[in-house]
């Protein structure tokens, strides 16, 4: 236990009241609590009574004082009149005119001497037993306080030791800062994160404000510092530091002031480089999967799409020979020829569109964030699935918003979601024989969520055993299914800042809905 523990201010206030009371009850000029501070004796608390010559915090040599005797003998001492004998002549109190004394020792819980509690009088004073008992009672109160104090002190020391161990363990970076931007102390882990060494720290050159890239410093100054000043601490948040080599390091940082209204504090810093690397790797894998899924879905359409292309090509061949026929002979029919050539042009365009959409879906590249006309994008997907729908005798009903249909996002990814959902619906209806097979596609502006897109069918539906599992990766009920479609759809929509969900449709079939906010951040979208 440390015997130099600081007595907290609320205890000091209580002790002050005790000595004031003592002086008043005993009607003496001075009552003191002294504390040994070798080689001196320090006045810890002095009563606020009239004629008291002792100043708080006054210091006197220990030697030959009344109090020294109390502390060495560990017994109460009563001096009725110091002037009578020679024994106490050297006590500075006598010089101050304090010729009588009653004092008792105060000890720490482990038996070490703390000091004394005593009263002085400037005249002869016999002090009755009652007074001694009173003094001893107050002494007990003080000793109880010391007990609490030393327990607290021990707890503080233990906490300090734990913090010290945390600092020294260098598991996370820790530094002591001040509001002016200095870094006063730091552990090796922090220095490693920012790429500096101890000499840089010692030289005083390290400033957290210089280590913060300008774009983050603005946020620190505008938001975090004021919050830290008022609240005294900051919940962990993410920011970046500048390494000595100029590179940026992503970190999680939390901070706390040492005391309310103080100008210094401690910060805990966690290096997020690894996490960021893992997140990027995960994003790459997801993007890769999304691409594979897209290719697989497009693959399912191959037969239908071949038909989709062959049909206009066949029409082109027929119209070409027709137009040749109309142009040849003695009386060419220019009007008919023109009509046939116009049909050739539009059939050609249709075939080109199919191929262009297919190409876009099969491509693999970085995110391409543009303003997407959602109606155009959906119509393109509907065009690609036209033959597939006809093949399965699926009736299509659409309700596509004519206004406010622009979203910011990756057109191919959004089309992938639509394609997945439409193909799932067609497949779920392919076995239905007892009711119409209806696919409903709608896109409408929805107040709170931006655009709401709904794909509904009258297919096999989502039974309770299936509904809970449809978003599980690799969950499929199809012999050749990959089971990734819906989870990829959901990631794509969420990366665009939207929501995605599916439910049963009464009386038959399934409903899938997703939202797309009108504006999204570019970084949120999957990378391939
Ligand atoms: P996959 O199509 O490869 O099976 P998905 O993740 O797209 O993977 O779908 C998972 C499962 O969810 C499907 O196998 C099917 O059981 C169910 N499902 C998806 N869409 C529908 C739907 N419209 N109607 C009924 N069941 C569906």
């Amino acid at each position: 236990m440390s015997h130099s523990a600081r007595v907290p201010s609320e205890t000091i206030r209580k002790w002050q009241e005790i000595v004031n009371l003592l002086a008043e009850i005993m009607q003496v000029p001075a009552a003191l609590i002294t504390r040994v501070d070798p080689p001196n004796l320090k006045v810890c608390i002095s009563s606020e009574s009239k004629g008291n010559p002792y100043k708080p915090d006054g210091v006197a040599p220990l030697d030959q004082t009344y109090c020294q005797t109390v502390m060495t003998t560990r017994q109460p001492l009563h001096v009725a009149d110091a002037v009578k004998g020679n024994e106490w002549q050297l006590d500075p109190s006598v010089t101050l005119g304090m010729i009588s004394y009653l004092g008792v020792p105060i000890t720490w819980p482990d038996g070490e001497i703390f000091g004394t509690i005593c009263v002085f009088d400037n005249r002869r004073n016999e002090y009755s037993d009652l007074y001694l008992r009173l003094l001893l009672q107050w002494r007990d109160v003080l000793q109880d306080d010391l007990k609490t104090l030393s327990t607290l002190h021990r707890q503080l020391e233990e906490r300090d030791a734990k913090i010290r161990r945390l600092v020294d363990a260098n598991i996370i970076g820790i530094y002591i800062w001040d509001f002016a931007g200095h870094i006063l102390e730091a552990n090796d882990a922090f220095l490693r994160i920012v790429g500096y060494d101890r000499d840089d720290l010692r030289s005083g050159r390290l400033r957290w404000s210089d280590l913060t890239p300008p774009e983050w410093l603005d946020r620190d100054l505008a938001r975090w510092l004021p919050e830290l000043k008022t609240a005294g601490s900051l919940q962990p948040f993410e920011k970046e530091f500048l390494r000595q080599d100029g590179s940026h390091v992503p970190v999680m940082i939390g901070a706390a002031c040492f005391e309310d209204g103080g100008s210094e504090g401690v910060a805990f810093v966690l290096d997020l480089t690894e996490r960021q690397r893992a997140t990027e790797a995960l994003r790459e894998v997801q993007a890769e999967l999304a691409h594979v899924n897209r290719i697989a879905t497009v693959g399912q359409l191959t037969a239908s799409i071949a038909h989709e292309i062959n049909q206009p090509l066949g029409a082109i061949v027929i119209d070409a020979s027709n137009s040749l026929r109309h142009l040849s002979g003695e009386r060419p029919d220019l009007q008919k020829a023109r009509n046939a050539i116009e049909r050739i042009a539009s059939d050609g365009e249709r075939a080109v569109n199919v191929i262009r959409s297919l190409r876009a879906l099969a491509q693999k590249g970085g995110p391409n964030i543009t303003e997407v006309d959602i109606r155009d994008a959906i119509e393109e997907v509907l065009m690609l699935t036209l033959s597939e729908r006809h093949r399965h005798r699926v009736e299509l009903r659409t309700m596509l918003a004519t206004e406010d249909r622009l979203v910011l996002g990756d057109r191919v990814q959004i089309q992938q979601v639509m394609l997945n959902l439409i193909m799932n619906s067609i497949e779920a209806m392919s076995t239905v024989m007892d009711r119409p097979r209806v696919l409903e596609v709608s896109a409408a502006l929805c107040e709170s969520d931006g655009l709401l897109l709904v794909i509904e069918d009258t297919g096999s539906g989502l039974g309770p055993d299936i509904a809970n599992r449809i978003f599980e990766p690799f969950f499929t009920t199809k012999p050749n299914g990959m089971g990734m479609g819906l989870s990829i759809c959901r990631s794509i929509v969420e990366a665009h800042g939207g929501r995605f969900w599916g439910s049963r449709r009464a009386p038959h079939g399934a409903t899938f809905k997703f939202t797309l906010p009108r504006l999204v951040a570019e970084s949120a979208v999957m990378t391939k």
Side-chain angles (χ1 to χ4, degrees):
M1 171 173 51
S2 168
H3 296 130
S4 56
R6 205 174 62 84
V7 182
S9 50
E10 63 269 33
T11 312
I12 298 271
R13 274 197 295 277
K14 177 174 159 194
W15 289 5
Q16 182 70 58
E17 277 175 31
I18 291 177
V19 292
N20 287 351
L21 262 171
L22 264 179
E24 199 180 316
I25 294 169
M26 297 197 188
Q27 299 205 327
V28 291
L32 306 183
I33 293 170
T34 69
R35 180 170 186 173
V36 61
D37 187 11
N40 296 317
L41 185 68
K42 206 167 149 192
V43 176
C44 184
I45 318 270
S46 178
S47 60
E48 293 158 330
S49 39
K50 231 174 94 197
N52 180 356
Y54 300 97
K55 300 270 168 288
D57 288 332
V59 172
L62 256 179
D63 273 355
Q64 316 223 10
T65 54
Y66 304 133
C67 289
Q68 189 202 18
T69 313
V70 171
M71 291 189 294
T72 17
T73 59
R74 292 176 172 252
Q75 292 296 325
L77 172 71
H78 172 213
V79 178
D81 186 350
V83 186
K84 275 216 161 147
N86 276 333
E87 200 183 345
W88 305 109
Q89 293 302 324
L90 283 175
D91 189 304
S93 304
V94 179
T95 341
L96 293 170
M98 297 293 135
I99 59 168
S100 88
Y101 173 90
L102 179 67
V104 296
I106 309 171
T107 55
W108 287 99
D110 66 353
E112 280 292 307
I113 289 287
F114 171 86
T116 63
I117 175 164
C118 51
V119 291
F120 296 85
D121 205 345
N122 50 9
R123 56 201 162 93
R124 181 182 170 77
N125 194 333
E126 287 297 343
Y127 303 105
S128 72
D129 264 4
L130 198 69
Y131 286 171
L132 178 60
R133 281 218 298 280
L134 190 63
L135 211 54
L136 285 168
Q137 247 171 33
W138 287 124
R139 191 270 308 266
D140 289 348
V141 171
L142 301 185
Q143 289 189 165
D144 278 351
D145 287 344
L146 289 181
K147 207 162 164 183
T148 314
L149 193 64
S150 56
T151 311
L152 273 178
H153 192 74
R154 200 177 51 244
Q155 283 167 355
L156 269 181
E157 275 181 344
E158 279 168 12
R159 208 181 64 189
D160 278 358
K162 274 188 202 147
I163 292 175
R164 194 72 251 166
R165 277 204 296 279
L166 186 67
V167 172
D168 293 343
N170 284 309
I171 297 165
I172 55 171
I174 297 175
Y175 66 87
I176 314 270
W177 48 265
D178 67 14
F179 278 118
H182 301 106
I183 291 182
L184 309 169
E185 187 48 76
N187 67 352
D188 292 342
F190 177 71
L191 294 174
R192 230 177 6 248
I193 291 173
V194 288
Y196 286 89
D197 60 30
R198 210 144 271 289
D199 286 340
D200 298 314
L201 178 68
R202 263 185 231 114
S203 70
R205 283 195 302 271
L206 278 193
R207 295 171 59 87
W208 61 259
S209 46
D210 294 342
L211 291 180
T212 304
E215 63 273 25
W216 292 90
L217 189 59
D218 291 345
R219 213 166 317 178
D220 279 2
L221 298 179
R223 175 158 178 207
W224 302 120
L225 280 204
E227 192 174 324
L228 189 53
K229 275 183 184 152
T230 40
S233 67
L234 280 184
Q235 286 303 307
F237 64 99
E238 289 182 26
K239 68 173 265 182
E240 283 181 3
F241 275 129
L242 271 176
R243 287 210 188 85
Q244 191 176 27
D245 62 10
S247 59
H248 289 216
V249 51
V251 296
M252 172 86 83
I253 182 168
C257 295
F258 284 135
E259 34 191 295
D260 281 353
S263 59
E264 291 177 7
V266 62
F268 300 90
V269 183
L270 202 63
D271 188 340
L272 296 183
T273 314
E274 277 311 312
R275 193 195 72 172
Q276 205 174 54
R277 233 176 260 151
T279 313
E280 264 157 30
L282 182 69
R283 201 179 296 155
E284 266 171 34
V285 171
Q286 275 181 338
E288 201 65 45
L289 254 177
H291 181 246
V292 169
N293 171 268
R294 213 153 63 216
I295 299 295
T297 318
V298 171
Q300 281 175 292
L301 279 172
T302 323
S304 303
I305 285 171
H307 173 76
E308 200 59 32
I309 295 169
N310 280 339
Q311 203 197 12
L313 288 183
I316 286 171
V317 172
I318 293 168
D319 271 325
S321 69
N322 280 345
S323 43
L324 279 177
R325 196 160 42 76
H326 295 315
L327 288 174
S328 57
E330 301 218 328
R331 291 219 317 259
D333 188 336
L334 288 184
Q335 187 52 44
K336 281 191 173 154
R338 182 176 295 122
N339 291 347
I341 291 171
E342 271 169 10
R343 280 196 304 276
I344 289 177
S346 84
D347 279 335
E349 200 175 334
R350 210 170 110 202
V352 165
N353 279 345
V354 172
I355 290 168
R356 199 180 41 224
S357 320
L358 261 186
R359 243 233 221 71
L361 278 171
Q363 82 185 352
K364 186 177 180 186
N368 185 13
I369 309 299
T370 52
E371 237 180 32
V372 180
D373 181 328
I374 206 74
R375 186 188 169 112
D376 271 9
I378 295 175
E379 277 174 348
E380 210 169 272
V381 174
L382 291 175
M383 171 188 77
L384 283 179
T385 54
L386 177 74
S387 304
E388 191 69 4
R389 282 185 275 121
H390 285 172
R391 194 158 73 89
H392 290 284
R393 295 187 313 282
V394 169
E395 181 196 336
L396 171 71
R397 292 181 195 157
T398 54
M399 256 180 40
L400 303 181
T402 44
E403 293 167 357
D404 289 325
R405 53 191 209 212
L406 296 179
V407 292
L408 200 59
D410 185 306
R411 183 184 167 96
V412 169
Q413 289 183 4
I414 294 172
Q415 285 188 320
Q416 176 173 6
V417 175
M418 298 297 307
L419 188 60
N420 254 315
L421 294 177
I422 291 173
M423 291 300 285
N424 275 350
S425 285
I426 296 176
E427 198 152 358
M429 290 189 285
S430 62
T431 49
V432 167
M433 297 300 169
D434 58 346
R435 55 181 180 270
R437 300 173 181 177
V438 182
L439 170 70
E440 282 186 31
V441 178
S442 71
L445 199 62
C446 155
E447 284 288 300
S448 52
D449 288 308
L451 270 179
L452 175 68
L453 294 105
V454 183
I455 285 92
E456 289 191 294
D457 60 58
T458 55
S460 51
L462 302 175
D465 45 330
I466 293 183
N468 292 337
R469 305 191 56 197
I470 52 173
F471 291 112
E472 275 177 27
F474 306 113
F475 171 76
T476 180
T477 54
K478 305 171 190 170
N480 297 319
M482 192 161 72
M484 287 304 296
L486 291 177
S487 48
I488 288 170
C489 286
R490 188 160 70 174
S491 328
I492 289 177
V493 170
E494 286 175 357
H496 278 77
R499 291 184 301 127
F500 184 100
W501 67 102
S503 54
R504 301 177 68 170
R505 178 181 181 275
H508 305 287
T511 303
F512 284 90
K513 295 185 181 180
F514 65 98
T515 62
L516 288 173
R518 307 299 316 284
L519 287 175
V520 291
E522 190 160 335
S523 61
V525 181
M526 288 158 90
T527 50
K528 273 178 195 163

mmCIF file of all heavy atoms in Angstrom, residues 17-31:
data_model
loop_
_atom_site.group_PDB
_atom_site.id
_atom_site.type_symbol
_atom_site.label_atom_id
_atom_site.label_comp_id
_atom_site.label_asym_id
_atom_site.label_seq_id
_atom_site.Cartn_x
_atom_site.Cartn_y
_atom_site.Cartn_z
ATOM 1 N N GLU A 17 -14.195 19.664 8.637
ATOM 2 C CA GLU A 17 -15.324 19.836 9.556
ATOM 3 C C GLU A 17 -15.005 19.233 10.907
ATOM 4 O O GLU A 17 -15.340 19.784 11.961
ATOM 5 C CB GLU A 17 -16.579 19.166 8.989
ATOM 6 C CG GLU A 17 -17.289 20.057 8.002
ATOM 7 C CD GLU A 17 -18.455 19.350 7.341
ATOM 8 O OE1 GLU A 17 -19.062 18.481 7.994
ATOM 9 O OE2 GLU A 17 -18.720 19.658 6.175
ATOM 10 N N ILE A 18 -14.310 18.082 10.891
ATOM 11 C CA ILE A 18 -13.954 17.423 12.153
ATOM 12 C C ILE A 18 -13.062 18.336 13.005
ATOM 13 O O ILE A 18 -13.326 18.560 14.190
ATOM 14 C CB ILE A 18 -13.248 16.068 11.880
ATOM 15 C CG1 ILE A 18 -14.254 15.081 11.294
ATOM 16 C CG2 ILE A 18 -12.587 15.515 13.143
ATOM 17 C CD1 ILE A 18 -13.673 13.731 10.906
ATOM 18 N N VAL A 19 -12.001 18.893 12.407
ATOM 19 C CA VAL A 19 -11.108 19.721 13.233
ATOM 20 C C VAL A 19 -11.798 21.023 13.664
ATOM 21 O O VAL A 19 -11.597 21.496 14.784
ATOM 22 C CB VAL A 19 -9.740 20.022 12.553
ATOM 23 C CG1 VAL A 19 -8.906 18.777 12.438
ATOM 24 C CG2 VAL A 19 -9.908 20.681 11.204
ATOM 25 N N ASN A 20 -12.642 21.550 12.788
ATOM 26 C CA ASN A 20 -13.378 22.761 13.187
ATOM 27 C C ASN A 20 -14.238 22.468 14.421
ATOM 28 O O ASN A 20 -14.277 23.241 15.381
ATOM 29 C CB ASN A 20 -14.284 23.251 12.062
ATOM 30 C CG ASN A 20 -13.488 23.892 10.939
ATOM 31 O OD1 ASN A 20 -12.279 24.106 11.086
ATOM 32 N ND2 ASN A 20 -14.146 24.174 9.833
ATOM 33 N N LEU A 21 -14.925 21.307 14.378
ATOM 34 C CA LEU A 21 -15.778 20.909 15.500
ATOM 35 C C LEU A 21 -14.969 20.714 16.777
ATOM 36 O O LEU A 21 -15.360 21.163 17.858
ATOM 37 C CB LEU A 21 -16.488 19.597 15.163
ATOM 38 C CG LEU A 21 -17.913 19.729 14.646
ATOM 39 C CD1 LEU A 21 -18.394 18.385 14.154
ATOM 40 C CD2 LEU A 21 -18.817 20.262 15.764
ATOM 41 N N LEU A 22 -13.814 20.038 16.604
ATOM 42 C CA LEU A 22 -12.947 19.778 17.769
ATOM 43 C C LEU A 22 -12.556 21.080 18.461
ATOM 44 O O LEU A 22 -12.682 21.225 19.680
ATOM 45 C CB LEU A 22 -11.670 19.079 17.307
ATOM 46 C CG LEU A 22 -11.636 17.554 17.402
ATOM 47 C CD1 LEU A 22 -10.297 17.044 16.886
ATOM 48 C CD2 LEU A 22 -11.843 17.112 18.844
ATOM 49 N N ALA A 23 -12.090 22.032 17.639
ATOM 50 C CA ALA A 23 -11.638 23.309 18.205
ATOM 51 C C ALA A 23 -12.795 24.007 18.906
ATOM 52 O O ALA A 23 -12.635 24.605 19.980
ATOM 53 C CB ALA A 23 -11.066 24.192 17.100
ATOM 54 N N GLU A 24 -13.987 23.879 18.306
ATOM 55 C CA GLU A 24 -15.140 24.569 18.871
ATOM 56 C C GLU A 24 -15.580 23.917 20.185
ATOM 57 O O GLU A 24 -15.784 24.580 21.197
ATOM 58 C CB GLU A 24 -16.277 24.530 17.848
ATOM 59 C CG GLU A 24 -17.334 25.554 18.099
ATOM 60 C CD GLU A 24 -18.432 25.471 17.054
ATOM 61 O OE1 GLU A 24 -18.087 25.333 15.852
ATOM 62 O OE2 GLU A 24 -19.608 25.510 17.440
ATOM 63 N N ILE A 25 -15.699 22.562 20.137
ATOM 64 C CA ILE A 25 -16.170 21.856 21.346
ATOM 65 C C ILE A 25 -15.183 22.043 22.490
ATOM 66 O O ILE A 25 -15.541 22.309 23.632
ATOM 67 C CB ILE A 25 -16.365 20.351 21.061
ATOM 68 C CG1 ILE A 25 -17.502 20.162 20.059
ATOM 69 C CG2 ILE A 25 -16.652 19.569 22.335
ATOM 70 C CD1 ILE A 25 -17.622 18.750 19.508
ATOM 71 N N MET A 26 -13.872 21.904 22.183
ATOM 72 C CA MET A 26 -12.887 21.974 23.266
ATOM 73 C C MET A 26 -12.499 23.416 23.592
ATOM 74 O O MET A 26 -11.718 23.650 24.503
ATOM 75 C CB MET A 26 -11.630 21.197 22.859
ATOM 76 C CG MET A 26 -11.907 19.724 22.644
ATOM 77 S SD MET A 26 -10.368 18.835 22.680
ATOM 78 C CE MET A 26 -10.873 17.237 22.172
ATOM 79 N N GLN A 27 -13.001 24.330 22.758
ATOM 80 C CA GLN A 27 -12.717 25.755 22.971
ATOM 81 C C GLN A 27 -11.232 26.027 23.037
ATOM 82 O O GLN A 27 -10.710 26.600 23.994
ATOM 83 C CB GLN A 27 -13.412 26.225 24.241
ATOM 84 C CG GLN A 27 -14.909 26.050 24.120
ATOM 85 C CD GLN A 27 -15.657 27.006 25.006
ATOM 86 O OE1 GLN A 27 -15.190 27.345 26.086
ATOM 87 N NE2 GLN A 27 -16.806 27.456 24.542
ATOM 88 N N VAL A 28 -10.544 25.536 21.993
ATOM 89 C CA VAL A 28 -9.097 25.785 21.888
ATOM 90 C C VAL A 28 -8.841 26.538 20.584
ATOM 91 O O VAL A 28 -9.664 26.478 19.670
ATOM 92 C CB VAL A 28 -8.291 24.463 21.903
ATOM 93 C CG1 VAL A 28 -8.347 23.806 23.263
ATOM 94 C CG2 VAL A 28 -8.802 23.519 20.808
ATOM 95 N N PRO A 29 -7.707 27.282 20.498
ATOM 96 C CA PRO A 29 -7.435 28.032 19.269
ATOM 97 C C PRO A 29 -7.126 27.147 18.060
ATOM 98 O O PRO A 29 -7.357 27.546 16.932
ATOM 99 C CB PRO A 29 -6.231 28.913 19.611
ATOM 100 C CG PRO A 29 -5.789 28.540 20.971
ATOM 101 C CD PRO A 29 -6.714 27.526 21.561
ATOM 102 N N ALA A 30 -6.589 25.915 18.287
ATOM 103 C CA ALA A 30 -6.166 25.138 17.116
ATOM 104 C C ALA A 30 -6.427 23.654 17.281
ATOM 105 O O ALA A 30 -6.161 23.083 18.340
ATOM 106 C CB ALA A 30 -4.673 25.351 16.854
ATOM 107 N N ALA A 31 -6.956 23.068 16.240
ATOM 108 C CA ALA A 31 -7.047 21.612 16.148
ATOM 109 C C ALA A 31 -6.458 21.249 14.797
ATOM 110 O O ALA A 31 -6.747 21.917 13.797
ATOM 111 C CB ALA A 31 -8.497 21.157 16.244
#
